[in-house]
Amino acid sequence: MSQLDLVPGFSAPVDAAQGLFRQLLKAMSEPGSLIDTTLEQPLERLDPATFGVCQTLLDQTCGLWLSPAFEGEAIRRNLGFHTGVRLVGERAEAQFALCHPDDLHDLEGFGRGSAEYPESSCTLILQVERLDNASAAAAAGATTLRLQGPGIESSRYLVVAPLPAVLAAYLQQRPDPFPLGLDLILVAGRKLACVPRSSQVEVI
Amino acid sequence: MSSNGVRDGYNFAYLDEQTKRMIRRALLKAVALPGYQVPFGGREMPMPYGWGTGGMQVTAAVIGRQDVLKVIDQGADDTTNAVSIRAFFRDLTGVRTTERTEEATLIQTRHRIPEKPLREDQILIYQVPIPEPLRFIEPSEVETRKMHALEDYGVMHIKLYEDIAHYGRIATAYAYPVLVNGRYVMDPSPIPKFDNPKMHRSPALQLFGAGREKRIYAVPPYTDVRSLDFEDYPFEVQRWEQCCAICGSRDSFLDEVIIDDRGSREFICSDTDYCRSRTEQAVDNPSGARPGTDEEAANAEGARNAC
Ligand SMILES: [Zn+2]
């Protein structure tokens, strides 16, 4: 692979990773909050926020499952170069899964953690087309979520376009009883929002 | 010192990026699992356990150049422990430090929660000596893990009830166990139980770091934190007959201090910033003219007489 195929990573890696982590920490502890990362560098089909989250959280100690839509030499090589992450073929081996909505027909295999070690569950990073506050007019194909629970004073609304049906059902029904479950990082363009397993979710 | 404010030869905030990432991943799991203790690994801080290394590891993983850091030990900004931790992060991050609760974005604390109510986007980082609230009942980690998994917290209530049988009240005054989000029993670290109600639905994010046992846990903002109790023996906080001898506060946690070599005693606020800001307010408004602070100013003015 030539140098030309590499996209630039964070220009000031220590500060950029810290800054984006703080935004992720806010997003995960205040579920549904919409954060503008102000990042601008995409990695092929990965949006700037998606590429930034990968650089911030992933390294050689993590297994990453890639949606078929993101399979390809450029993404594979750049993620390897910038993070050192191991790509895994089996969903069950993944600490993180980078998902495209079109590929998410089921959630089988992603680790939900165990009652003794609930933190061993998989974190889904789902790249969608748009994330908005509820105040934004919900476009066709968008799903409005009403969130309640820890990190939310009363309730918070988040518009996700598109939200795969299987995930909408999972979030509403929570088939894995807490503390088991999947934590969700949603990314679109420069924006991100989180829905941890502790949130009660209603599709409205 | 290099141009970016960090001592030469050191990474920003001391820890290497790999260790920070491990702690950061653990923190994201911790906020998704309120009150659950997440194990973490990575490099140690260059201080012995007991000096708040767990809190320092958490602070090092979250702190950035925009932050304003406050460090307190038992409520005071000027103890050896607080001064050295503050100097450590000033040296290794170049960030601004403060003693004022309302100016701080990060507050690392040993054994107190500030008296001034915290707000959204502030992060309170607790130094934790023993993270496992069930440890004194069950020494085995395998067993305590099972107890948390099964929500088997009966022994905790038995322990508190033994207190009642023995002392006629719940004697536990520090590290008083809480139930977080209706699910996990959590050790709030050795804060006085006086501070427990401040944890309940706080707008600030609360993070806990235990260095020796390498555990991180968290309480997100607006999360239910209930102190364990019984219907006939409800949870109660400490109260004092006295008010603070310096600022006159009747609402803050008071320390008893010996003021002369004859052993005379006074009670003063444990939260030094709170006490000083009340005294300054009283000096700024000697007549108590500012609306809404009349009573406080008058209290402060006449504190020594009133107590
Ligand atoms: Zn005082």
Side-chain angles (χ1 to χ4, degrees):
Chain A
M1 180 173 163
S2 75
Q3 285 296 106
L4 291 176
D5 300 324
L6 284 177
V7 304
F10 288 147
S11 58
V14 172
D15 289 339
Q18 184 276 332
L20 190 58
F21 167 70
R22 277 292 277 281
Q23 293 183 313
L24 277 166
L25 183 63
K26 181 178 171 66
M28 195 65 91
S29 59
E30 299 176 24
S33 293
L34 195 55
I35 310 264
D36 182 355
T37 66
T38 73
L39 295 172
E40 284 171 0
Q41 177 64 56
L43 165 55
E44 207 194 34
R45 284 155 288 163
L46 299 185
D47 288 349
T50 314
F51 185 35
V53 168
C54 290
Q55 291 179 80
T56 301
L57 295 182
L58 305 181
D59 56 36
Q60 64 279 6
T61 66
C62 307
L64 176 71
W65 180 88
L66 265 188
S67 231
F70 297 133
E71 285 285 355
E73 199 59 10
I75 289 178
R76 185 178 284 266
R77 286 294 188 91
N78 272 283
L79 285 181
F81 178 81
H82 289 294
T83 73
V85 72
R86 291 180 292 114
L87 295 181
V88 296
E90 294 297 322
R91 289 177 168 190
E93 293 167 23
Q95 280 91 62
F96 290 90
L98 195 45
C99 304
H100 187 283
D102 292 349
D103 293 339
L104 221 48
H105 305 300
D106 66 77
L107 300 170
E108 293 302 308
F110 295 123
R112 265 58 163 189
S114 63
E116 270 94 356
Y117 292 93
E119 77 280 14
S120 61
S121 66
C122 184
T123 301
L124 302 186
I125 305 166
L126 176 66
Q127 177 176 305
V128 297
E129 280 161 32
R130 276 186 54 193
L131 289 171
D132 279 305
N133 291 124
S135 51
T143 304
T144 301
L145 303 178
R146 178 170 181 262
L147 309 180
Q148 290 181 299
I152 303 169
E153 191 171 8
S154 52
S155 57
R156 198 172 275 134
Y157 295 86
L158 180 67
V159 182
V160 185
L163 184 68
V166 63
L167 197 53
Y170 175 84
L171 292 174
Q172 286 195 98
Q173 291 156 18
R174 294 283 183 204
D176 314 308
F178 188 88
L180 275 59
L182 300 167
D183 302 316
L184 183 60
I185 300 174
L186 293 157
V187 272
R190 306 186 345 177
K191 294 184 200 166
L192 65 85
C194 294
V195 184
R197 70 192 84 178
S198 57
S199 295
Q200 292 110 53
V201 179
E202 245 182 292
V203 172
I204 59 170
Chain B
M1 193 72 76
S2 63
S3 58
N4 64 4
V6 179
R7 189 189 288 174
D8 285 327
Y10 286 88
N11 195 21
F12 181 83
Y14 183 79
L15 292 179
D16 59 286
E17 294 304 297
Q18 162 74 25
T19 296
K20 287 183 194 169
R21 262 193 308 273
M22 291 174 73
I23 295 173
R24 287 168 180 167
R25 290 191 295 257
L27 282 167
L28 293 182
K29 289 297 183 188
V31 294
L33 291 158
Y36 169 80
Q37 302 162 53
V38 182
F40 71 97
R43 192 168 159 191
E44 307 273 350
M45 300 307 282
M47 282 188 182
Y49 298 132
W51 277 77
T53 52
M56 290 175 77
Q57 282 164 308
V58 172
T59 298
V62 304
I63 197 168
R65 296 186 198 279
Q66 309 307 313
D67 278 311
V68 180
L69 176 69
K70 173 181 165 78
V71 183
I72 49 171
D73 174 13
Q74 309 267 14
D77 297 83
D78 57 3
T79 65
T80 312
N81 186 294
V83 168
S84 49
I85 292 173
R86 194 161 55 236
F88 177 86
F89 282 113
R90 205 189 293 118
D91 259 22
L92 292 168
T93 64
V95 304
R96 201 152 74 79
T97 60
T98 185
E99 296 192 1
R100 295 183 186 273
T101 298
E102 67 275 15
E103 286 180 1
T105 55
L106 298 180
I107 303 172
Q108 185 175 323
T109 180
R110 175 173 176 271
H111 305 186
R112 275 312 309 277
I113 299 175
E115 304 290 1
K116 279 179 203 158
L118 300 179
R119 56 177 161 73
E120 283 185 18
D121 288 322
Q122 284 184 312
I123 303 180
L124 185 59
I125 298 167
Y126 297 75
Q127 301 172 199
V128 181
I130 302 166
E132 178 49 72
L134 304 169
R135 182 65 69 231
F136 67 96
I137 300 165
E138 175 52 68
S140 153
E141 170 69 15
V142 176
E143 288 304 314
T144 52
R145 216 162 248 293
K146 223 178 269 173
M147 289 159 80
H148 284 295
L150 299 170
E151 293 187 77
D152 179 8
Y153 295 133
V155 285
M156 201 53 152
H157 280 96
I158 291 172
K159 153 77 174 85
L160 293 175
Y161 208 83
E162 280 171 357
D163 265 17
I164 295 169
H166 204 248
Y167 306 104
R169 65 192 162 83
I170 297 174
T172 305
Y174 295 86
Y176 190 105
V178 294
L179 183 67
V180 179
N181 191 35
R183 177 57 181 83
Y184 282 107
V185 167
M186 185 186 93
D187 185 327
S189 85
I191 57 172
K193 65 179 180 177
F194 177 89
D195 285 339
N196 277 22
K198 298 175 187 167
M199 308 180 81
H200 178 61
R201 298 191 66 78
S202 169
L205 171 62
Q206 302 173 76
L207 305 177
F208 300 78
R212 190 184 290 112
E213 299 197 34
K214 301 211 165 34
R215 295 287 185 277
I216 285 171
Y217 48 103
V219 176
Y222 304 111
T223 298
D224 285 356
V225 179
R226 302 284 183 191
S227 301
L228 301 184
D229 65 356
F230 301 94
E231 228 166 78
D232 41 345
Y233 287 93
F235 172 78
E236 284 176 342
V237 298
Q238 293 100 325
R239 295 271 174 226
W240 290 263
E241 298 288 314
Q242 300 81 357
C243 62
C244 171
I246 298 171
C247 76
S249 175
R250 293 187 174 278
D251 304 317
S252 76
F253 187 87
L254 301 178
D255 287 332
E256 191 174 8
V257 291
I258 298 172
I259 52 166
D260 58 30
D261 51 16
R262 296 193 312 275
S264 309
R265 289 158 190 275
E266 273 187 348
F267 288 84
I268 59 167
C269 293
S270 120
D271 183 335
T272 51
D273 170 59
Y274 171 83
C275 194
R276 190 196 50 210
S277 68
R278 281 174 53 85
T279 317
E280 284 170 1
Q281 206 174 38
V283 169
D284 289 350
N285 301 274
S287 62
R290 192 192 295 172
T293 62
D294 294 15
E295 197 187 331
E296 286 190 0
N299 267 347
E301 221 182 4
R304 282 175 193 278
N305 298 332
C307 289

